[in-house]
Amino acid sequence: MDTRTLSSQVRAGQALPIMESFYTVQGEGTFTGHAAYFIRIGGCDVGCVWCDVKDSWEAARWPIQSIEEIVAGARAYPGRLAVITGGEPLLYPLAPLTDALRAAGFQVHLETSGAHPFSGSFDWVVFSPKKFKAPHPSIFEVADELKVVVSHKSDFTFAQENASKMYKNAVFRLQPEWTKSSRYLGSIIEFVKLHPEWQISLQTHKFMEIP
């Protein structure tokens, strides 16, 4: 298939640059501990300085896979929870992928910064806003979980600002940035005690040393 045809398919969401896909256990947020198949889409323009998957930023580095190939990879494992992540997955139209996964019997989750218009059909949407690129307004109407990574004292105010814009009864979570956990975990604990509508999310997969 020629380059122009591939590019056209990516723009339509019929094929996507896939950095990696793997079967593991969800380590963060509401579904911590659940077996899940992760689909990491390449490409991101948000630029978080503490990102632990910076290799995902350049979409051109990663092979293009058809929707059929992506779903076939997921179906090879017994779990039926698929998590679409990145990179920033909303750079692409996600309806073709989510429709195919749901047709194959998967519960489909999204992890996104919300920096681009929302697309796709999901059972659970985790919105993790970043200061480096403002979220698109469409994310506030659909997010089920607001997860703010804390790497600076100003992130508590940032978290409250985003929580005030949520449309639905979402779960609010604060997660310490892994390399600064010892510095901010105490402050997060005290914040949650004062603001009980918030909960703490930990990257349990890193404690377990699994992908």
Side-chain angles (χ1 to χ4, degrees), residues 26-126:
Q26 172 63 277
E28 302 177 8
T30 300
F31 288 84
T32 294
H34 289 247
Y37 186 79
F38 278 74
I39 301 166
R40 189 179 303 282
I41 303 176
C44 186
D45 59 357
V46 179
C48 303
V49 295
W50 38 258
C51 177
D52 55 5
V53 283
K54 289 182 179 178
D55 285 349
S56 70
W57 291 5
E58 189 178 348
R61 293 183 58 185
W62 308 112
I64 305 298
Q65 293 186 22
S66 68
I67 298 303
E68 293 76 16
E69 290 173 314
I70 298 169
V71 174
R75 294 183 69 172
Y77 297 92
R80 286 297 178 264
L81 168 59
V83 180
I84 300 174
T85 186
E88 175 41 65
L90 288 178
L91 280 169
Y92 310 94
L94 295 179
L97 176 57
T98 60
D99 289 351
L101 286 167
R102 289 164 72 91
F106 283 86
Q107 183 179 12
V108 187
H109 295 187
L110 175 67
E111 296 184 351
T112 178
S113 69
H116 294 274
F118 183 79
S119 64
S121 178
F122 293 92
D123 298 285
W124 192 261
V125 175
V126 180

Side-chain angles (χ1 to χ4, degrees), residues 141-154:
E141 302 176 15
V142 297
D144 300 286
E145 181 175 336
L146 171 65
K147 182 176 68 181
V148 177
V149 176
V150 177
S151 64
H152 188 273
K153 61 182 181 180
S154 63

Side-chain angles (χ1 to χ4, degrees), residues 1-16 64:
M1 189 177 297
D2 62 45
T3 302
R4 284 184 297 181
T5 301
L6 275 177
S7 297
S8 176
Q9 289 192 342
V10 170
R11 287 194 298 271
Q14 297 294 338
L16 295 165
I64 305 298

